[in-house]
Amino acid sequence: MKKYSVILLTFILLLTFTACELPKPPVELSDEEVVVTLLEAFRDGDYEGLTPYISDDNPLHLFFTGMDEEIGGDLAPAYQALHEQLKSLTFTAEAVEGKEAWGTVAVTLSIPDYGKAIYTAMAKALGDQVQNSGSAFSDMPAWLLQGVQGEGELREETFELHVGNRDGNMVMDTNTNRSFFAMLCGGLKPYLKASVTTCTFPNDTVWELLAQGDEIIAMLSTELLSTAKHGYTQAQLDETAAVFMETLSPVDGLIVYAQAEDGLLTARLGIDMAQASTFALNNLGLISDRITAGSNGWLSLDSTISSFTRDGASCETENFRLDSEE
């Protein structure tokens, strides 16, 4: 029996080694091959294929996970539509002679950019909600989708990319190559961390704040005044509406609407920070010490929310992603 047990054990081991090969080590790619592999994976929508070559803080993580409806939620259709547009990208990649030790690869990338189209769609939605009420501006997934389905601008740029950092020899550092990765997002990068915050005051004033990270890029306020609730006369409401329109309509970057009838004044104000002057807004009393030290000198979302809540507002922030911790 002992002899037969040894034979059986040997047979089992032979079957095991024949059926299952040992795992092969990952293929070592050249710096040029890393870039080519990443770009081909991007074009093919292969998230798993590009992940080994990017850092954890890379914007492509938000882009690709956002295309998954179980993660991107209502934003997924816009992300998917944009990626379809970006599949037309073309590129060349070649290691730079003499800079091999730095992992330097010269890449010329040609790809559509929808940044202007997205901004145009947002500005149109802002104006629509100011003039017609509704939710065109606060519905970020809708105007984002409209933007990426618009006309993109073909961009071409040459980069000297660097492969290899503290995260691994074949990983492309996000910060070092940030302009390249931003261009690869096709104009979407500023909106990857966008949110809409709604702040409601006890006096029936509502502010909606569109921000990219901590920088507010557009705002919309709605204010209601009535003869019954606030003690105004119809004449006072008429005068307030007229002054509101006359004072704010000429100011660049502002969209205004005011109507007083049947004892109710409805006033809406849209502010496009790309067009408005922070100096003018400050002089009008529309902003105060909430200016951020960010790249555009626009308003800080966190500071604005803090100021509003101190004044009694209740604020809720929505970024439309289902994996949000907010």
Side-chain angles (χ1 to χ4, degrees):
M1 287 297 296
K2 183 176 182 182
K3 177 181 179 182
Y4 288 124
S5 297
V6 172
I7 294 173
L8 179 61
L9 178 60
T10 303
F11 180 68
I12 292 173
L13 289 173
L14 284 172
L15 285 177
T16 302
F17 283 110
T18 302
C20 303
E21 295 182 3
L22 292 174
K24 295 180 180 179
V27 177
E28 187 75 19
L29 301 180
S30 68
D31 299 325
E32 179 182 323
E33 289 171 334
V34 166
V35 176
V36 171
T37 301
L38 183 147
L39 286 170
E40 289 179 342
F42 177 92
R43 185 170 53 198
D44 296 340
D46 181 6
Y47 180 44
E48 291 185 2
L50 64 82
T51 300
Y53 309 110
I54 57 177
S55 304
D56 291 341
D57 58 350
N58 196 285
L60 295 184
H61 291 297
L62 288 174
F63 188 1
F64 273 76
T65 57
M67 286 191 276
D68 184 342
E69 294 179 0
E70 294 185 359
I71 299 176
D74 292 338
L75 293 173
Y79 284 33
Q80 293 166 3
L82 178 59
H83 185 260
E84 284 297 318
Q85 306 277 35
L86 300 182
K87 285 182 178 180
S88 63
L89 71 85
T90 59
F91 66 89
T92 61
E94 185 177 358
V96 178
E97 187 176 352
K99 296 185 178 181
E100 292 85 358
W102 298 97
T104 306
V105 180
V107 175
T108 298
L109 175 65
S110 179
I111 191 171
D113 186 284
Y114 287 83
K116 184 177 292 185
I118 294 172
Y119 164 75
T120 300
M122 181 279 295
K124 181 180 178 181
L126 177 64
D128 186 321
Q129 188 166 329
V130 169
Q131 299 298 333
N132 304 308
S133 188
S135 60
F137 172 66
S138 52
D139 190 357
M140 184 171 72
W143 55 253
L144 190 63
L145 178 59
Q146 184 180 19
V148 302
Q149 290 176 333
E151 292 292 329
E153 298 179 327
L154 187 64
R155 288 183 56 196
E156 182 171 295
E157 192 167 341
T158 298
F159 303 89
E160 282 202 351
L161 303 180
H162 301 281
V163 179
N165 70 356
R166 63 182 181 277
D167 295 323
N169 292 331
M170 295 188 293
V171 176
M172 297 178 64
D173 181 72
T174 302
N175 185 56
T176 306
N177 304 298
R178 59 185 179 276
S179 297
F180 167 73
F181 287 116
M183 186 173 171
L184 202 55
C185 289
L188 183 64
K189 185 178 181 298
Y191 299 91
L192 289 172
K193 294 184 178 180
S195 64
V196 176
T197 299
T198 302
C199 294
T200 305
F201 289 83
N203 67 349
D204 297 327
T205 297
V206 177
W207 279 89
E208 296 176 70
L209 316 171
L210 171 65
Q212 297 171 348
D214 186 50
E215 283 194 340
I216 296 174
I217 60 174
M219 300 181 287
L220 189 153
S221 72
T222 302
E223 187 172 0
L224 302 176
L225 297 175
S226 68
T227 56
K229 185 174 182 179
H230 300 95
Y232 292 99
T233 66
Q234 183 63 49
Q236 289 175 320
L237 295 181
D238 292 339
E239 183 180 0
T240 300
V243 171
F244 182 83
M245 294 294 293
E246 292 171 2
T247 303
L248 300 181
S249 292
V251 181
D252 291 339
L254 301 189
I255 308 167
V256 296
Y257 170 89
Q259 184 177 35
E261 61 179 8
D262 299 329
L264 178 67
L265 167 65
T266 302
R268 289 189 290 269
L269 169 66
I271 304 176
D272 182 347
M273 295 301 295
Q275 306 297 326
S277 160
T278 52
F279 179 76
L281 296 179
N282 185 62
N283 287 341
L284 290 167
L286 296 173
I287 64 174
S288 55
D289 58 353
R290 297 188 297 273
I291 296 179
T292 181
S295 59
N296 296 300
W298 293 348
L299 300 182
S300 162
L301 177 64
D302 289 343
S303 296
T304 301
I305 290 175
S306 296
S307 176
F308 282 179
T309 52
R310 285 196 300 269
D311 292 339
S314 174
C315 297
E316 294 185 2
T317 298
E318 173 66 81
N319 70 6
F320 303 96
R321 289 178 65 99
L322 299 181
D323 61 346
S324 172
E325 296 181 356
E326 294 181 289

